[in-house]
Amino acid sequence: MSRRGEFLNAAGWTALGTVIVVASWRMDRLADRGINPWSAPGLTPGVVGALMVLLGLVLAVQARGRRPDAVEDGEAAGAPAGPGAVGRTLLALVLCIAFAGVSLGHGLPFVVEGAAFIFVFTTLFSLPTWRAEGRIGRALLQTAAIAIAASFAISWLFESVFLVRLP
């Protein structure tokens, strides 16, 4: 990715994080209802937004320190590029909407759907690298194991710690 593209990504993440922080700050604190300040509705989004701002700034600093002609690991000069950043972003958006907006809560338990989503998402974005390294079979097995473990961990976390009943 070019330095300009890296700066645009950094600016985008920083701007989005700033919007989230401002929106969460403006949310009603529900103090009039005796709600504990640590359970205020805007606390978690505010922390996530602040982290997005911080990481966006880290991306900008990294882009600034990178030489304009530097070639990233795995890139060869003059090699054909894979799908562009816009294509990858749209693919991620479609996968997330399909998971959270369409399939989740309509049949299969969360653990199964979560593992399938993690596996498909990771595979689609990692397959070109795996092909180049010649390790598709092993990588698919590792991805399946990680997807299953992560899905069980996420399910346990939400049900046992956050006390959220998952579909």
Side-chain angles (χ1 to χ4, degrees):
M1 179 182 293
S2 69
R3 277 179 77 179
R4 182 173 178 259
E6 290 177 0
F7 278 121
L8 289 174
N9 276 339
W13 286 110
T14 303
L16 181 60
T18 302
V19 168
I20 292 171
V21 168
V22 169
S24 68
W25 186 264
R26 296 181 68 201
M27 287 182 78
D28 186 14
R29 300 286 184 260
L30 303 176
D32 57 337
R33 296 188 182 154
I35 302 291
N36 183 338
W38 289 106
S39 62
L43 182 64
T44 300
V47 171
V48 171
L51 288 173
M52 288 171 66
V53 169
L54 177 69
L55 294 175
L57 295 173
V58 168
L59 285 173
V61 168
Q62 284 181 336
R64 184 170 184 243
R66 182 173 168 231
R67 290 190 339 252
D69 60 342
V71 175
E72 292 184 22
D73 292 339
E75 283 184 9
V86 173
R88 290 190 304 268
T89 302
L90 288 176
L91 176 60
L93 184 64
V94 166
L95 289 172
C96 289
I97 289 173
F99 171 66
V102 177
S103 70
L104 191 60
H106 294 87
L108 295 174
F110 174 82
V111 174
V112 175
E113 289 197 27
F117 171 76
I118 294 168
F119 178 79
V120 169
F121 193 96
T122 305
T123 300
L124 288 176
F125 283 95
S126 301
L127 198 56
T129 304
W130 297 342
R131 277 194 190 125
E133 296 172 354
R135 60 180 190 102
I136 294 176
R138 190 175 114 225
L140 286 172
L141 289 174
Q142 288 174 335
T143 301
I146 290 169
I148 292 167
S151 186
F152 274 105
I154 292 166
S155 180
W156 173 83
L157 178 70
F158 273 84
E159 290 180 347
S160 300
V161 177
F162 299 136
L163 304 176
V164 174
R165 191 174 145 315
L166 296 173

